[in-house]
């Protein structure tokens, strides 16, 4: 048996429980991993609250990311052996292959030998953020050193990943945050400018920063009514990429801006990359190479022990963190 985290009803972090379960037999294409660290994602909090893309089925397990040591490999698995240090590329279904557990079974195609320079916590924190930022900014928007881009909620793990990737490519980043306290940290991470103002003041500030050269790409996870303001700040022909809806409400289409400016407003999910083998291979090569060089380095906001999963989810929902929250096992 192994200990796992699950919940039996929708609710606050306190519904999360640690229980012992028998894992199903290891499939021929799967790898059994002794988990060392788990990366937390907002998707898991949304699932716990019954607000995710699919409804929970109780008892519901969860988790997209982890890193650990291989214990056993399925009979069809090649290229991995027991003892290998590996991390998990998020699967399309955390319900089928959850990572919140002391031992987990994961299809080999979603397991990667991560660079030796990464700690367990960094390895567990890498894939969701860098796949999302890479997919949106490089695979979709094709950013270049000629671009300015604007990243909202820039202190989130994906926001930081976007800043780091843009910096690698010589792209100037305008980072936004709701708090002045994160300004210096975002500048230290590679943002060219940090904007904490809101509404019309933010639009004026962005125009002043760029000298009239508005960003071609905006990478946003908030949505809602602010989308109209974001469209004010995009250059004609630019792209607004929505990868989340933290605002939680309805996001209107600002046709009065999008149509005359020729804007593209596009949703993006990491599953676009994970679900396409060729695109995923390119992303893995880019990310692994950059991680090995140290050009990409996951920022850990705070680490909790496995038995502190309730406190970890409580902290996740405060929105005060800068970087990734990790649970060690």
């Amino acid at each position: 048996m192994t200990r796992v985290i699950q919940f039996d009803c929708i609710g606050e972090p306190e519904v999360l429980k640690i229980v012992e379960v028998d894992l199903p037999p290891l499939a021929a294409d799967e790898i059994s991993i002794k988990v060392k660290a788990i990366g937390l994602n907002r998707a898991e909090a949304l699932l716990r609250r019954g607000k995710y893309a699919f409804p929970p089925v109780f008892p519901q397990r969860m988790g997209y990311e982890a890193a650990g040591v291989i214990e056993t490999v399925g009979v069809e698995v090649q290229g991995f052996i027991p003892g290998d240090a590996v991390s998990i590329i998020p699967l399309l279904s955390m319900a089928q292959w959850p990572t919140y557990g002391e031992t987990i079974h994961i299809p080999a195609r979603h397991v990667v030998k991560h660079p030796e320079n990464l700690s367990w916590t960094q390895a567990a924190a890498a894939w969701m953020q860098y796949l999302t930022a890479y997919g949106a900014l490089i695979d979709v928007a094709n950013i270049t050193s000629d671009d300015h881009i604007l990243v909202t909620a820039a202190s989130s793990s994906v926001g930081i990943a976007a800043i780091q990737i843009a910096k690698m490519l010589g792209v100037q980043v305008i980072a936004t945050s709701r708090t002045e306290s994160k300004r210096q940290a975002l500048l230290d991470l590679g943002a060219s400018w940090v904007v904490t103002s809101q509404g019309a003041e933010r639009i004026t500030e962005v125009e002043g920063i760029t000298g009239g050269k508005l960003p071609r790409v905006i990478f946003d996870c908030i949505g809602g009514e602010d989308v109209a303001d974001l469209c004010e700040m995009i250059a004609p022909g630019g792209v607004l990429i929505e990868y989340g809806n933290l605002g939680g409400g309805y996001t209107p289409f600002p046709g009065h801006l999008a149509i005359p400016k020729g804007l593209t407003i596009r949703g993006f999910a990491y599953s676009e990359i994970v679900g396409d083998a060729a695109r995923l291979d390119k992303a893995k090569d880019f990310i692994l190479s950059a991680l090995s060089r140290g050009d990409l380095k996951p920022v850990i906001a705070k680490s909790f022990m496995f038995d502190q999963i309730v406190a970890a989810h409580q902290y996740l929902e405060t929105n005060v963190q800068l970087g990734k929250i990790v649970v060690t096992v």
Side-chain angles (χ1 to χ4, degrees), residues 211-291:
K213 184 183 178 182
L214 293 174
R216 182 180 68 85
V217 178
I218 294 183
F219 189 43
D220 177 52
C221 64
I222 300 171
E225 298 291 336
D226 280 354
V227 165
D229 286 347
L230 295 179
C231 288
E232 292 271 14
M233 292 182 279
I234 307 179
V239 182
L240 172 59
I241 299 176
E242 293 289 335
Y243 73 96
N245 187 31
L246 293 182
Y250 172 70
T251 299
F253 176 73
H256 65 293
L257 296 167
I259 294 170
K261 294 178 75 172
L263 303 181
T264 298
I265 301 176
R266 188 191 193 286
F268 179 81
Y270 82 96
S271 55
E272 282 192 44
I273 302 296
V274 173
D276 185 313
R279 293 167 75 184
L280 180 58
D281 284 344
K282 288 182 179 179
K284 286 167 60 177
D285 288 345
F286 178 93
I287 294 167
L288 284 172
S289 178
L291 287 170

Side-chain angles (χ1 to χ4, degrees), residues 40-225:
L40 303 194
N41 295 282
R42 294 190 182 280
E44 294 136 23
L46 291 172
L47 177 63
R48 193 196 72 239
R49 289 186 173 277
K51 297 180 179 180
Y52 194 48
F54 60 85
V57 178
F58 305 120
Q60 178 69 62
R61 292 181 58 194
M62 65 171 73
Y64 275 122
E65 294 181 283
V69 177
I70 291 179
E71 290 189 320
T72 313
V73 299
V75 295
E76 295 178 358
V77 174
Q78 297 182 348
F80 297 97
I81 60 173
D84 282 344
V86 295
S87 50
I88 310 305
I89 293 175
L91 290 98
L92 296 179
S93 173
M94 67 170 159
Q96 187 172 1
W97 291 287
T99 62
Y100 280 25
E102 293 181 329
T103 300
I104 58 176
H105 294 173
I106 300 293
R109 66 184 180 277
H110 283 266
V111 176
V112 62
K113 297 177 186 177
H114 56 254
E116 293 181 358
N117 60 310
L118 295 186
S119 67
W120 290 119
T121 55
Q122 289 172 327
W127 287 102
M128 180 68 84
Q129 61 172 316
Y130 291 125
L131 278 172
T132 303
Y134 168 94
L137 299 181
I138 296 178
D139 189 86
V140 172
N142 192 28
I143 60 172
T144 73
S145 58
D146 293 329
D147 284 321
H148 288 120
I149 69 170
L150 186 145
V151 178
T152 69
S155 60
S156 68
S157 59
V158 176
I160 291 170
I163 292 171
Q164 291 181 347
I165 287 174
K167 183 179 178 181
M168 279 180 57
L169 300 177
V171 178
Q172 292 188 300
V173 178
I174 304 166
T176 76
S177 176
R178 293 186 181 274
T179 172
E180 188 67 25
S181 64
K182 296 178 180 178
R183 175 182 296 276
Q184 190 57 51
L186 292 170
L187 292 171
D188 292 343
L189 287 166
S192 302
W193 305 277
V194 177
V195 173
T196 59
S197 54
Q198 302 295 318
E201 184 180 347
R202 181 174 60 171
I203 297 170
T204 300
E205 188 173 354
V206 169
E207 289 175 340
I209 282 172
T210 61
K213 184 183 178 182
L214 293 174
R216 182 180 68 85
V217 178
I218 294 183
F219 189 43
D220 177 52
C221 64
I222 300 171
E225 298 291 336

Side-chain angles (χ1 to χ4, degrees), residues 291-308:
L291 287 170
S292 297
R293 296 192 307 268
D295 290 337
L296 298 181
K297 187 174 182 179
V299 174
I300 307 302
K302 194 169 183 178
S303 181
F304 294 82
M305 299 296 291
F306 191 74
D307 290 336
Q308 297 175 307

